[in-house]
Amino acid sequence: MSDASAVIEWMRTAEATIEAEARPDPPEMFIWEAYVSTAVYNAVVGVEGRFTPYKWDERAPRTVSSAAAAASAAHQVLRHYFPRAAPRLDATLTGTLAKIPDSEAEDRGVAFGKRAADHVIDLRRDDGRGASVPFPARPGPGVWRPTPPDHTPFATAWIGRVRPLLLDSPHQFRPGPPPAMRSARYARDLHELAAYGGRTGSHRTPEQTDTARYFTNLDLQGALGDHATRHGFGIAETARLYAAANTAQADAVIAAWDAKLHYGTWRPVTAIREADTDGNPATRADRHWEPLLVTPAHPDYLSGHATMGGALMRALTGVLGTSRVDLHIRSTTTGASRHYRYAHQYEQDVVDARVWGGIHTRTADEVGSTTGRRLAAWALRKYFRPVP
């Protein structure tokens, strides 16, 4: 096997293991993947050099197998958090190592990968993952409350308080408040949603409907691996690509959820149905309005998906050194694949998709995308830098 394929294989294994064992809500997935990809990154660059390790300073001789180190690091992180998956993980590791020549280099790589994993596990101990974080606001005009059809409580509120991987705090890039309910911008947001985001009677084109559904859930890990393969990335470049993309998205989720907790704004389905309580003469209530997509169980501002989209694209353009990201991304919801040549095309589609799906205001999307770009740009000045 090529050295880089060990990273790609184990990020695929990580995704499958996390989905099967944790059954996470989509935002949580990026936090788990960031744990794995930082351990793999440290294991690889600790051997190969080229880039600065993530919050670590250990090194291994260049004669050590970096592919064995990468596989061992991912295996150790996943085995620690998901012990029930140990038999499958052990079998996968055995299969990976069978493709690497038996030698002292392989054995030392396995040992070094375990150390890299243990370091990340130690870094993330007591980081607030899964903690009980109550939503403090009382429902009223403009304030989030559980939405139809299931009226699920804000169960993932802990994400807004978890310790970031790159940022100094969850609120480091907290934006200013959303538009006041009596403002013209607020009214424009609601008018657009009522016209383009409804399940029935919408002005959406079929293409816009496809875009809304496409972005429900994406195979981004597969897109990263495909990019690395097609562009002939080595193992260090591949590990860096995953680590930068996944940590930026994880911190984007954390930043977005911090804003959700802080501002606690109601979702479009509530805002449109109860527009007669918002004090804005330019809005009109529609008690029967339903969004195209089912509304996720957390506040509107900021849009998590748009914040992650901005962070992902800024991380990739920073790592790749170009706005031409060249990503083939498959939607696991619709099965459709799209090719994004440039970063701005992806960001714009994410913003539009959440409006056309009826689940976010355009302001929550656009401010989220900007916030994601800002935090990723800051992070890349500190982390995953080339070694001088």
Side-chain angles (χ1 to χ4, degrees):
M1 72 187 309
S2 71
D3 284 351
S5 66
V7 174
I8 296 169
E9 174 188 347
W10 274 93
M11 289 310 301
R12 272 298 192 201
T13 298
E15 185 174 42
T17 302
I18 295 163
E19 286 180 346
E21 298 297 321
R23 300 185 182 278
D25 287 336
E28 299 176 55
M29 192 74 183
F30 293 96
I31 296 174
W32 287 115
E33 286 169 340
Y35 293 177
V36 178
S37 56
T38 50
V40 169
Y41 171 80
N42 276 353
V44 170
V45 302
V47 176
E48 299 283 332
R50 298 198 58 196
F51 306 107
T52 55
Y54 168 76
K55 299 183 179 182
W56 204 38
D57 57 8
E58 285 201 36
R59 301 289 190 276
R62 288 293 302 274
T63 54
V64 167
S65 168
S66 54
S72 175
H75 171 268
Q76 182 80 347
V77 170
L78 293 168
R79 213 175 189 278
H80 172 81
Y81 289 114
F82 308 111
R84 292 188 307 175
R88 296 194 304 276
L89 293 168
D90 292 350
T92 304
L93 181 62
T94 298
T96 301
L97 297 179
K99 304 169 190 174
I100 301 170
D102 292 334
S103 64
E104 183 182 357
E106 180 190 56
D107 294 340
R108 294 179 70 181
V110 169
F112 187 69
K114 287 180 179 178
R115 291 205 301 277
D118 288 341
H119 176 70
V120 169
I121 292 167
D122 187 58
L123 282 175
R124 300 313 301 177
R125 188 167 286 115
D126 300 323
D127 65 359
R129 186 185 64 256
S132 175
V133 176
F135 181 67
R138 295 180 178 178
V143 179
W144 182 83
R145 76 287 309 269
T147 51
D150 297 329
H151 299 278
T152 304
F154 189 178
T156 57
W158 62 266
I159 294 175
R161 296 290 180 264
V162 76
R163 187 168 69 248
L165 286 99
L166 308 174
L167 302 182
D168 296 328
S169 73
H171 61 264
Q172 183 175 346
F173 287 92
R174 183 188 293 166
M181 284 194 296
R182 296 191 180 189
S183 68
R185 185 172 182 179
Y186 177 88
R188 285 198 304 271
D189 278 348
L190 251 61
H191 288 162
E192 182 181 27
L193 282 158
Y196 289 92
R199 179 175 296 180
T200 60
S202 171
H203 296 317
R204 276 188 320 274
T205 66
E207 292 77 14
Q208 289 169 336
T209 299
D210 288 345
T211 294
R213 290 182 169 140
Y214 167 87
F215 276 96
T216 305
N217 204 0
L218 301 177
D219 179 16
L220 294 174
Q221 303 304 304
L224 295 174
D226 172 72
H227 181 99
T229 300
R230 287 187 292 107
H231 290 269
F233 281 16
I235 190 168
E237 293 172 298
T238 302
R240 183 191 186 213
L241 184 71
Y242 278 108
N246 287 332
T247 54
Q249 289 185 102
D251 275 15
V253 171
I254 293 167
W257 259 244
D258 165 78
K260 288 176 186 291
L261 279 173
H262 183 74
Y263 294 113
T265 53
W266 58 8
R267 283 280 188 160
V269 64
T270 313
I272 292 172
R273 290 183 178 188
E274 301 183 19
D276 53 346
T277 69
D278 63 20
N280 192 322
T283 65
R284 186 177 64 183
D286 181 348
R287 302 291 185 194
H288 304 290
W289 189 85
E290 293 185 41
L292 172 68
L293 304 178
V294 175
T295 302
H298 38 78
D300 175 57
Y301 186 89
L302 295 174
S303 162
H305 209 130
T307 309
M308 286 188 291
L312 172 63
M313 289 299 115
R314 182 61 184 86
L316 293 181
T317 58
V319 166
L320 300 175
T322 174
S323 62
R324 187 170 178 144
V325 292
D326 184 24
L327 289 177
H328 293 279
I329 306 174
R330 184 178 65 87
S331 169
T332 58
T333 303
T334 67
S337 292
R338 295 188 177 191
H339 177 241
Y340 285 97
R341 182 169 297 172
Y342 293 103
H344 71 87
Q345 296 169 332
Y346 178 87
E347 292 179 55
Q348 187 60 58
D349 273 5
V350 174
V351 167
D352 288 337
R354 308 317 262 178
V355 175
W356 296 335
I359 58 175
H360 273 300
T361 60
R362 184 166 294 276
T363 296
D365 293 328
E366 290 179 342
V367 177
S369 186
T370 299
T371 300
R373 288 195 300 271
R374 289 183 62 215
L375 73 83
W378 178 89
L380 286 181
R381 291 195 290 270
K382 292 189 64 175
Y383 299 100
F384 315 118
R385 293 175 292 112
V387 174

